[in-house]
Amino acid sequence: MLLFDKVTKKYDQDITALEDVYFNIDKGEFSFLVGPSGAGKTTLMRLLIREELPTSGDIFFDEINVPKIPRQLLPQYRQKLGIVFQDMKLLQSKNLQENIAFALEILGKETKEIKETTEYLLELVKLQDRRFLFPHQLSGGEQQRGAIARALANNPELLVADEPTGNLDPDNAFDVLTILRNINKAGTTVMVISHDKDIVNEMKTRVIRMEKGKVISDNKGDYDTIKKPKTPTHIKPKKEEKEEKKETEEVKEKKELEIDDRIKNLEPSILKKFVDAKINTLELIFNLTESDLKNLKITKKEQEILEAFVKDYLTKSK
Ligand code: ADP
């Protein structure tokens, strides 16, 4: 699902925030990203949400080449991610329910869906009875759970939480962990950036450890267990293969597209353009507008032939 392949990020000439970072996360995984301050965790997150570009290396999310996403498609891409930022507090001017609903309103959801999803998310983070409270009236743990609920509003494929248990007492920290675990059990891939040894050790799950911009350990188990990551076996998404498959599927589809007998005698170059665009009946051709023809790249000459063809058909069918 997510692949960082030999990713290096340099700020200026002499600051290397990430160096040859390699790891991949499978769909449905629960993992921790740990490491001292300055290790590169935040930079990694910035690259993931395409706030920054790598200096070199590849980042793939669902086989999308993240650094190459055109600007206009970024919002669409970011909707796949749910990020709980360390410093991103809930909106102070809105109560908890409104905070969650607002995230859905931004996505242009219908009123009914907003209501239902908000209800579901409040229940998920066990804050139904706190819905009308404003952030300053909520405890640290409740605010954190509220922020998680809000990050889940767009039903992300991957939830990344940056220090979600920082500043929480153990009971509250474990409540947050339980919620993250439940979210993961329900199918969302979860990655947690944490310094909290107790929390990490409780899960006995994958721990990716960074130091000085490098992944120095990647291992299932405890916070302190160090196990060198495997040398990257280059498992770049089999893009070409996939595209090839897509192509053959398209060809197959085209083959299966039945062509109306009445248009089979159309000039082959025109027919090809129509069939490629899945225009396979005379009725569909009749309904084409000037701009459709332009979009289909029908030349002036072809347009004349087409007009003659249609005229001929209409005369004969009279
Ligand atoms: P972490 O989140 O693990 O504490 P960061 O990703 O914030 O680490 O930082 C990794 C390194 O990159 C640090 O040395 C930091 O000073 C440097 N760094 C991060 N962002 C910038 C920036 N915008 N400009 C220059 N250096 C930066």
Side-chain angles (χ1 to χ4, degrees):
M1 168 192 232
L2 175 64
L3 171 67
F4 270 66
D5 192 10
K6 296 189 90 178
V7 174
T8 293
K9 173 69 183 174
K10 289 188 182 180
Y11 289 106
D12 308 322
Q13 280 306 312
D14 47 354
I15 304 171
T16 304
L18 296 178
E19 192 179 345
D20 271 348
V21 166
Y22 172 89
F23 68 90
N24 67 324
I25 301 271
D26 286 334
K27 228 182 176 67
E29 250 191 286
F30 191 120
S31 57
F32 284 105
L33 181 64
V34 307
S37 180
K41 305 179 300 291
T42 311
T43 304
L44 194 144
M45 202 150 109
R46 287 211 193 108
L47 294 181
L48 170 66
I49 61 175
R50 243 298 287 275
E51 214 174 81
E52 301 262 11
L53 289 169
T55 310
S56 62
D58 288 318
I59 303 167
F60 286 96
F61 186 92
D62 275 354
E63 294 174 18
I64 299 163
N65 192 337
V66 176
K68 295 220 169 106
I69 301 171
R71 194 150 283 280
Q72 68 271 24
L73 294 181
L74 278 183
Q76 222 168 310
Y77 165 66
R78 290 187 181 139
Q79 275 186 31
K80 291 170 178 282
L81 311 169
I83 311 282
V84 186
F85 291 99
Q86 218 174 335
D87 55 353
M88 206 216 242
K89 305 268 181 291
L90 295 162
L91 299 168
Q92 298 296 320
S93 58
K94 293 184 187 289
N95 68 30
L96 181 62
Q97 178 172 306
E98 289 164 349
N99 258 287
I100 300 171
F102 185 61
L104 292 154
E105 279 161 27
I106 292 172
L107 295 170
K109 303 285 182 202
E110 307 255 330
T111 319
K112 188 167 171 270
E113 193 182 339
I114 293 176
K115 227 174 142 218
E116 284 171 4
T117 310
T118 304
E119 202 53 47
Y120 168 78
L121 291 171
L122 281 168
E123 200 182 312
L124 187 74
V125 297
K126 301 192 174 63
L127 288 174
Q128 300 103 304
D129 60 343
R130 296 284 191 274
R131 66 175 71 217
F132 297 121
L133 296 183
F134 287 84
H136 72 274
Q137 298 170 312
L138 298 167
S139 73
E142 288 167 347
Q143 286 192 34
Q144 194 57 260
R145 276 145 62 192
I148 293 172
R150 197 180 52 177
L152 289 172
N154 51 335
N155 193 19
E157 288 174 39
L158 172 67
L159 181 77
V160 182
D162 191 2
E163 292 288 352
T165 60
N167 305 325
L168 297 182
D169 60 57
D171 281 351
N172 273 311
F174 277 98
D175 282 349
V176 168
L177 183 70
T178 304
I179 282 159
L180 290 170
R181 212 180 210 166
N182 289 342
I183 289 163
N184 177 246
K185 272 189 197 147
T188 309
T189 310
V190 175
M191 188 173 195
V192 179
I193 299 177
S194 184
H195 278 108
D196 195 331
K197 272 192 194 188
D198 293 338
I199 289 290
V200 174
N201 291 344
E202 168 74 17
M203 282 290 291
K204 301 258 178 291
T205 187
R206 181 172 175 193
V207 182
I208 301 169
R209 174 178 294 276
M210 293 185 68
E211 233 167 66
K212 295 186 185 142
K214 289 184 179 171
V215 174
I216 59 148
S217 172
D218 190 346
N219 169 51
K220 200 172 170 137
D222 281 345
Y223 188 91
D224 290 318
T225 323
I226 302 279
K227 195 175 162 202
K228 268 199 166 179
K230 277 185 228 146
T231 324
T233 38
H234 279 258
I235 47 154
K236 256 193 198 175
K238 291 176 185 157
K239 238 186 157 181
E240 284 83 344
E241 196 183 299
K242 215 174 168 197
E243 258 158 29
E244 228 172 71
K245 201 169 144 214
K246 207 171 126 206
E247 226 164 70
T248 47
E249 266 163 20
E250 264 170 23
V251 169
K252 207 170 132 213
E253 207 176 295
K254 252 175 236 160
K255 269 189 200 143
E256 280 164 7
L257 190 76
E258 236 172 72
I259 302 168
D260 191 334
D261 277 342
R262 298 167 296 174
I263 65 168
K264 276 185 176 158
N265 294 331
L266 202 56
E267 171 93 9
S269 72
I270 307 175
L271 188 59
K272 184 175 181 314
K273 287 178 188 174
F274 285 159
V275 173
D276 283 348
K278 301 199 172 67
I279 298 163
N280 61 335
T281 68
L282 196 62
E283 286 72 22
L284 285 173
I285 292 174
F286 282 163
N287 281 315
L288 293 172
T289 63
E290 283 282 324
S291 71
D292 289 334
L293 293 174
K294 219 165 143 192
N295 290 336
L296 288 164
K297 299 201 167 60
I298 300 288
T299 63
K300 236 188 156 99
K301 179 98 186 103
E302 285 171 338
Q303 198 164 334
E304 279 166 22
I305 298 171
L306 187 62
E307 273 164 25
F309 176 86
V310 171
K311 220 179 207 167
D312 190 44
Y313 174 82
L314 291 175
T315 327
K316 277 185 188 151
S317 63
K318 261 185 200 161

